[in-house]
Amino acid sequence: SRIDLALALAEEPGVILCSYGDLLRVPGSRRRSLLQARADGCDVRMVYSCIETIEIAGRHPDKQVVFFAIGFETTTPPTAVLMQRIAAGGIKNLSVVCNHVLTPAAIQHILNAPVLREMEAVRLDGFIGPGHVSAIIGSRPYEYFAEEFAVPVVISGFEPADLLLSILSLVRQTNRRQARVENRLSRVVTDDGNIAAQRLVASVFELRKSFDWRGLGPIPYSALRLKSDFREYDAEHRFHVSLPPARENPACRCGEILRGVAEPEDCLLFARGCTPENPMGSCMVSSEGACAAHFRYRPPSSSAMRRVGG
Ligand code: SF4
């Protein structure tokens, strides 16, 4: 997995591995996280902005600083700015691993899953388009899903009132048997998105033919890699790390949960081996993950609570 790659890079002699906080807790395929690697002596640092890595590289000219870039379309433009600054400054001891992924490709993969197709109708009732991603890509990319798969999409902000309004819009569309894209965050999101950010991203990155998603497997053209102009600053080329095949926990049902065909409590590990403090799958890692949110907000009578209570 990509976390295994991050762990392998962190273990390289003389490497300072930097990434965003959420990533540090995510376990690799052997249940080891970057936080555990740091406890074992690796130099792993959390950054709030990828631009901080330039300062870290300047303070440690004898080290190789690697930024593990990860996230959806929202975090890609800052990494593009970082790449431009690295290249302009010729910063030799700073490189980047690109793991930026694309929301529309993931939605399409989920909707195309045979398990959903076999149900003849897509069981998912609708999608909430994430406001931060939509601010970059705009509302247009969702139109295909509304037309092709007949599912409503409502673009929403993250404030409680935004989410309630968006859920209400989804319920109304469902009751009226409508399937269209509604933009409930028009104060931020436009039809075409942030054109300047899109151009910036296109100047630095290109599509990967395939990318392995945890729980979903390989998805074609669902992620970005650095263009050849930036190859000398691409950590995947600078370091030749060979990894054993990734091992997914066979009991983790993240893939089914993401497709809407299972719920967190259908997983035998939920609230047992897998908790927000000790996540075993991607849905339990960040607070907005389906399993983490369900763990936090589940009703007291839920079966998992009874299990924990004995
Ligand atoms: S509870 Fe944990 S192991 Fe189970 S599906 Fe969710 S993230 Fe995966």
Side-chain angles (χ1 to χ4, degrees), residues 251-254 257 264 267-271 274 280-284 291:
C252 175
R253 300 186 67 178
C254 275
I257 290 166
C267 174
L268 291 174
L269 297 173
F270 180 80
C274 186
M280 296 179 73
S282 51
C283 302
M284 191 62 95
C291 293

Side-chain angles (χ1 to χ4, degrees), residues 84 209 230:
Q84 289 186 335
K209 277 194 178 148
F230 297 92

Side-chain angles (χ1 to χ4, degrees), residues 2-271:
R2 304 300 286 182
I3 303 296
D4 294 336
L5 174 62
L7 286 164
L9 287 167
E11 285 165 359
E12 287 277 313
V15 162
I16 300 174
L17 190 111
C18 303
S19 195
Y20 298 125
D22 267 1
L23 184 87
L24 305 193
R25 290 190 307 119
V26 184
S29 63
R30 281 156 185 78
R31 300 212 55 198
R32 190 156 176 261
S33 69
L34 285 168
L35 279 182
Q36 284 158 338
R38 183 162 75 183
D40 293 341
C42 296
D43 196 341
V44 174
R45 303 188 189 190
M46 184 185 86
V47 291
Y48 289 102
S49 160
C50 59
I51 304 300
E52 290 172 41
T53 58
I54 294 177
E55 191 196 330
I56 295 170
R59 274 193 272 119
H60 299 280
D62 54 328
K63 303 271 188 180
Q64 280 291 328
V65 178
V66 177
F67 177 61
F68 199 80
I70 194 157
F72 287 90
E73 289 87 341
T74 326
T75 52
T76 313
T79 308
V81 171
L82 174 66
M83 292 316 305
Q84 289 186 335
R85 292 192 187 176
I86 295 173
I91 304 172
K92 299 292 181 204
N93 67 327
L94 176 54
S95 56
V96 169
V97 184
C98 178
N99 304 280
H100 287 298
V101 289
L102 303 171
T103 306
I107 293 177
Q108 182 164 0
H109 181 81
I110 287 169
L111 288 170
N112 270 329
V115 66
L116 290 179
R117 286 297 200 185
E118 280 161 17
M119 292 174 182
E120 290 180 359
V122 171
R123 188 176 145 185
L124 293 166
D125 293 319
F127 281 94
I128 291 181
H132 55 347
V133 165
S134 308
I136 303 295
I137 67 173
S139 63
R140 273 193 222 289
Y142 302 108
E143 286 171 6
Y144 168 75
F145 306 116
E147 285 167 19
E148 175 68 18
F149 298 95
V151 289
V153 181
V154 178
I155 295 167
S156 176
F158 289 99
E159 296 295 326
D162 289 322
L163 283 165
L164 286 172
L165 187 63
S166 301
I167 291 167
L168 178 63
S169 296
L170 280 177
V171 169
R172 282 187 174 145
Q173 283 204 47
T174 304
N175 287 344
R176 292 172 189 155
R177 298 184 190 281
Q178 293 175 329
R180 57 193 173 82
V181 177
E182 254 181 281
N183 183 0
R184 287 289 178 190
L185 193 62
S186 56
R187 65 184 187 272
V188 175
V189 177
T190 62
D191 290 351
D192 295 321
N194 185 330
I195 302 289
Q198 291 168 18
R199 287 199 180 122
L200 174 66
V201 167
S203 70
V204 172
F205 300 103
E206 61 189 12
L207 285 172
R208 284 182 190 266
K209 277 194 178 148
S210 183
F211 191 80
D212 248 330
W213 290 59
R214 280 185 109 168
L216 294 177
I219 304 182
Y221 301 108
S222 62
L224 301 173
R225 67 179 183 189
L226 290 166
K227 282 184 163 176
S228 56
D229 293 354
F230 297 92
R231 184 149 296 171
E232 70 174 298
Y233 305 107
D234 186 339
E236 288 184 75
H237 286 271
R238 185 171 293 186
F239 300 91
H240 300 285
V241 178
S242 62
L243 295 173
R247 286 187 314 208
E248 296 248 1
N249 188 324
C252 175
R253 300 186 67 178
C254 275
E256 293 161 86
I257 290 166
L258 289 171
R259 292 184 180 101
V261 294
E263 298 193 3
E265 291 194 31
D266 294 332
C267 174
L268 291 174
L269 297 173
F270 180 80

